Amino acid sequence: SLMLRRRTAPHCATRIYCNLMFSYYNTLGKRGMCFYARRVRSPIDVSVTIKKNIYVYEQEEKMFQRIDRPGFYYGFPVLLMTTKDQETGEDALTPLSSSWVLDQTIVIGIGAGNKGFCNIEAGADMVFNLPGANLYENVKRIERLTGLRKLSEVKKNLGYTYCADKFGVGGFTKLPGETVAAVRIPECPFHIEATVESITRKDWFAIVVCHITAIFADEKLLTADGRIDTVRWQPLIYKLKEYTTTGVRLELNFGFREY
């Protein structure tokens, strides 16, 4: 049997939310259970009675610590941006991890010291290719390569090297863009063609606002009526400098009708 007893201070609000999470552990050779409670506005004592053994766990104040980080990549989809050199016509491949989309606008954060940004500043269009989780090794092969022949000291210290063909090293091929002068990567299941609307320099990086001109999807990820099968789509995620992907579906948004 399981009994939960709750006490609150008389001067505090009595509404308390409790999250119950049970896990077995051994204490002094006896089998027990752990109970966790999250306090909202008042102190709480909890006791769990299991076969006449009573364990009391005092709720502690949740503590937060301020952290100072040069970047906080809390979780973004990886993008492989393709652009074209306006003078030579060469294709450039640039991995990105900072972006967001609303309606027909996509906004990216991009380092100013790479070939892709140089092409954008010179007037190039782009394609944002979205790799699936299965392409993480391909992305790893090109993560410290740059299309700029002259490396900055920062990139040298980080171990970057010049590469004339990042497509070949990463195992990527090319398809022509339909609405922009940039190539698409067929190994990636989604392609977002876009043009530049504005560029804002921010120290060593830039914020680039783009207008989406076309979106292409791998037919294998589409339902019979042309919607995206969100369960099958497993994007490559860059989270706190680790590569990961999405897990099981937790719940659906109220507006969900298959994307």
Side-chain angles (χ1 to χ4, degrees):
S1 63
L2 174 65
M3 178 186 71
L4 169 65
R5 185 177 73 248
R6 183 178 67 189
R7 296 201 308 270
T8 61
H11 62 280
C12 296
T14 59
R15 186 178 182 183
I16 299 174
Y17 294 99
C18 294
N19 293 332
L20 293 176
M21 297 181 292
F22 295 94
S23 61
Y24 288 104
Y25 76 110
N26 289 317
T27 304
L28 299 177
K30 297 180 180 180
R31 204 63 157 165
M33 298 186 77
C34 292
F35 172 85
Y36 299 85
R38 177 165 59 88
R39 185 176 66 197
V40 177
R41 295 189 60 187
S42 58
I44 177 173
D45 295 333
V46 293
S47 63
V48 179
T49 302
I50 303 175
K51 295 181 180 179
K52 299 181 180 181
N53 295 323
I54 300 177
Y55 303 94
V56 178
Y57 301 90
E58 297 292 337
Q59 168 68 16
E60 295 182 358
E61 195 72 45
K62 184 182 289 186
M63 302 299 292
F64 293 88
Q65 180 177 333
R66 178 173 175 173
I67 59 175
D68 294 317
R69 298 178 59 91
F72 190 35
Y73 300 98
Y74 49 83
F76 304 89
V78 173
L79 304 178
L80 298 178
M81 184 184 73
T82 53
T83 55
K84 194 175 290 290
D85 189 302
Q86 299 299 282
E87 295 182 358
T88 66
E90 295 178 346
D91 296 308
L93 175 57
T94 308
L96 300 174
S97 60
S98 296
S99 69
W100 57 267
V101 177
L102 279 177
D103 196 33
Q104 297 302 303
T105 296
I106 179 169
V107 181
I108 63 168
I110 181 172
N114 63 59
K115 181 62 176 176
F117 180 71
C118 292
N119 290 345
I120 289 174
E121 275 200 316
D125 300 330
M126 72 277 287
V127 178
F128 300 108
N129 304 272
L130 279 64
N134 62 306
L135 293 177
Y136 77 94
E137 291 181 331
N138 304 67
V139 175
K140 282 286 294 179
R141 292 179 209 149
I142 64 172
E143 65 180 1
R144 284 202 290 184
L145 301 179
T146 178
L148 285 179
R149 289 178 172 81
K150 185 177 181 180
L151 275 66
S152 66
E153 289 301 319
V154 173
K155 284 203 167 185
K156 287 181 180 178
N157 293 334
L158 291 174
Y160 279 78
T161 56
Y162 167 72
C163 178
D165 183 16
K166 292 167 70 174
F167 287 87
V169 173
F172 299 115
T173 55
K174 305 176 184 180
L175 285 176
E178 290 194 8
T179 65
V180 297
V183 298
R184 293 150 51 199
I185 300 176
E187 290 75 21
C188 296
F190 293 102
H191 312 145
I192 304 173
E193 297 186 354
T195 57
V196 176
E197 290 188 343
S198 66
I199 301 174
T200 304
R201 293 291 294 258
K202 305 281 286 187
D203 192 20
W204 59 271
F205 66 96
I207 305 298
V208 183
V209 179
C210 310
H211 174 70
I212 297 173
T213 58
I215 300 174
F216 300 88
D218 187 334
E219 292 182 349
K220 295 178 181 178
L221 292 179
L222 299 180
T223 60
D225 58 353
R227 297 179 183 272
I228 298 172
D229 187 336
T230 57
V231 174
R232 296 185 64 187
W233 167 227
Q234 298 291 311
L236 181 60
I237 304 294
Y238 189 64
K239 182 190 70 176
L240 299 175
K241 298 193 175 183
E242 71 174 15
Y243 295 106
T244 184
T245 188
T246 53
V248 297
R249 175 183 283 176
L250 301 178
E251 187 54 271
L252 299 178
N253 179 266
F254 68 90
F256 180 85
R257 294 181 183 85
E258 280 297 351
Y259 211 81

